[in-house]
Amino acid sequence: MLQQNVKRLDTAYKNFFEGRGFPKFKNRSNFTSFTYQMGVKVQGSKIYLPKLGWMRFHNSRVIPEGFTIKAATIRKRQNGWDVSIRIEDKSIPDYISKPLNEINSLLGCDLGITKLVHLSDSYQIENPRFSTNKKAKRTLKIRQRRVSKKVKGSNNRKKSAKRLGRLHKKIADKRSAYQWETANKIVSRKVDAIAVENLNVSGMLRRCKVKIDEKTGRFLKNGQSRKKGLNRSISDAGWSDLILKIEYLAVKQGKIVIKVNPKNSSQECRNCGHIDKSNRDGEKFICTHCGYHEHADIGAAKTIRDRAFEIVRGDSTKLAV
């Protein structure tokens, strides 16, 4: 277990030297997980952890026969402790994706906020807005205010913070369950490959650049207050996690996920190729050059599908799987 912590430290410094941020010091209050590489045993509703012994746990997923336990990670959550067990069976063959020359059908996916996903076959998936709907925002605001009004370091503040954390975990669990359901709907469609947007979500969530008046030296408005609400909606949608789940399920079904550059996908006319910001007005798309009109997001999904076809038929080195 101590060796795993040294490996984590090594990984953190490798990330630092590759330009991905300085390692963060973790004391016992924010060090919330540890990993066992050997010695873990499971018997019914009991698990044996080295140095801790046998303890009861809720066995939510029974380990199939023929699998061996390779590692176990213990994580502290707001409602208790979770254990995730990594298992292996070498007799099971790896999943094999369909070759590129056999791809005949593609499904394009355009991610959004009003609707979570728009598909190229005109199907739309709703966005429940788990943390940005009216009720959730009010509840979060009340519980956060209760935490801030308690004395720092007091037991009452810790209790309020724990209650707030449980609400955040409940929202996150709902979002994750809905994403798995959405990913299953997308992957289960009768297509050979799925095209998704290659999004830089962390870049989209960055703060606006500061604007300073050269004469007075005062800060000018830069639109950050308006962008704050958009950032919350993007974070609530969880596009990156949804794409990861789509990729995971696609591999299990032998399908390929192709990541496409989404630039101007919702502003490009599918009839004449004219690109203009004024082509789009909300969910409506009306080309200012030829008058072609359709649903803007569904048209974007079709454009993403067509761009993926160009990648498959052209330069296969651009394919992201």
Side-chain angles (χ1 to χ4, degrees):
M1 186 171 63
L2 297 177
Q3 291 174 355
Q4 296 304 309
N5 292 336
V6 175
K7 286 183 179 179
R8 290 185 184 184
L9 181 63
D10 181 57
T11 302
Y13 272 104
K14 282 182 179 178
N15 290 335
F16 165 67
F17 288 117
E18 292 175 4
R20 290 195 286 270
F22 193 82
K24 294 181 181 178
F25 174 76
K26 291 188 177 181
N27 56 22
R28 70 179 190 176
S29 64
N30 56 19
F31 195 90
T32 57
S33 67
F34 52 92
T35 302
Y36 291 100
Q37 283 286 7
M38 58 183 70
V40 179
K41 305 173 187 176
V42 176
Q43 291 182 2
S45 61
K46 291 186 178 181
I47 185 170
Y48 177 80
L49 301 174
K51 303 294 184 180
L52 296 178
W54 288 97
M55 57 184 63
R56 291 181 296 173
F57 80 118
H58 175 62
N59 194 357
S60 59
R61 296 180 67 181
V62 179
I63 298 175
E65 294 183 3
F67 283 84
T68 57
I69 298 175
K70 303 298 291 183
T73 300
I74 317 298
R75 295 182 177 88
K76 185 179 180 181
R77 301 299 189 194
Q78 293 297 333
N79 58 349
W81 293 82
D82 289 351
V83 55
S84 57
I85 302 172
R86 188 164 70 245
I87 57 178
E88 181 186 33
D89 187 354
K90 294 183 178 179
S91 63
I92 297 178
D94 294 332
Y95 295 107
I96 301 175
S97 300
K98 185 170 289 190
L100 295 180
N101 54 9
E102 295 183 10
I103 293 178
N104 298 316
S105 56
L106 264 164
L107 180 69
C109 302
D110 178 69
L111 304 178
I113 294 175
T114 306
K115 296 284 192 300
L116 183 59
V117 185
H118 301 82
L119 302 180
S120 56
D121 59 1
S122 301
Y123 186 77
Q124 298 175 330
I125 299 175
E126 295 291 331
N127 183 11
R129 295 175 175 266
F130 291 106
S131 65
T132 55
N133 63 65
K134 187 176 181 180
K135 182 178 179 181
K137 286 170 66 175
R138 183 176 181 275
T139 307
L140 285 169
K141 184 177 180 180
I142 291 172
R143 295 197 182 181
Q144 183 63 57
R145 187 169 59 219
R146 288 175 180 172
V147 173
S148 63
K149 288 190 174 184
K150 300 291 190 299
V151 178
K152 289 185 178 181
S154 65
N155 288 331
N156 283 335
R157 187 182 177 94
K158 291 178 182 177
K159 290 177 184 177
S160 297
K162 191 173 182 180
R163 192 178 181 194
L164 175 64
R166 284 200 297 264
L167 177 60
H168 277 292
K169 185 178 185 302
K170 184 178 179 181
I171 292 172
D173 290 343
K174 285 183 178 180
R175 184 186 297 114
S176 180
Y178 188 78
Q179 286 177 345
W180 281 115
E181 182 183 343
T182 302
N184 269 307
K185 285 181 181 178
I186 295 172
V187 176
S188 61
R189 294 181 177 270
K190 296 180 179 179
V191 291
D192 299 328
I194 300 165
V196 297
E197 298 173 277
N198 189 12
L199 298 172
N200 180 15
V201 179
S202 60
M204 297 169 68
L205 295 176
R206 288 196 189 114
R207 294 180 62 87
C208 298
K209 290 184 179 180
V210 177
K211 294 182 179 180
I212 301 177
D213 192 340
E214 295 180 356
K215 296 181 179 180
T216 61
R218 292 188 176 184
F219 293 106
L220 301 175
K221 291 183 179 181
N222 62 349
Q224 178 58 37
S225 59
R226 288 178 295 168
K227 190 174 183 292
K228 183 169 65 174
L230 176 63
N231 288 352
R232 287 176 178 171
S233 298
I234 293 173
S235 299
D236 186 28
W239 293 336
S240 298
D241 290 338
L242 177 58
I243 291 174
L244 287 175
K245 290 177 175 63
I246 292 172
E247 290 176 334
Y248 173 79
L249 294 176
V251 170
K252 294 182 71 173
Q253 296 193 21
K255 298 180 180 180
I256 295 176
V257 174
I258 304 171
K259 291 185 177 179
V260 177
N261 183 5
K263 185 177 181 180
N264 298 325
S265 58
S266 61
Q267 300 174 8
E268 180 181 348
C269 178
R270 293 182 46 77
N271 185 41
C272 66
H274 178 65
I275 298 175
D276 190 357
K277 287 184 179 180
S278 58
N279 284 348
R280 177 166 184 172
D281 181 17
E283 294 185 350
K284 297 178 182 179
F285 181 92
I286 303 175
C287 181
T288 57
H289 185 261
C290 67
Y292 176 77
H293 61 89
E294 66 173 341
H295 192 286
D297 294 310
I298 293 177
K302 293 177 181 178
T303 301
I304 291 168
R305 177 198 61 192
D306 295 343
R307 290 180 183 179
F309 263 124
E310 291 176 4
I311 293 174
V312 172
R313 293 169 182 169
D315 187 3
S316 61
T317 59
K318 297 180 181 178
L319 190 65
V321 181

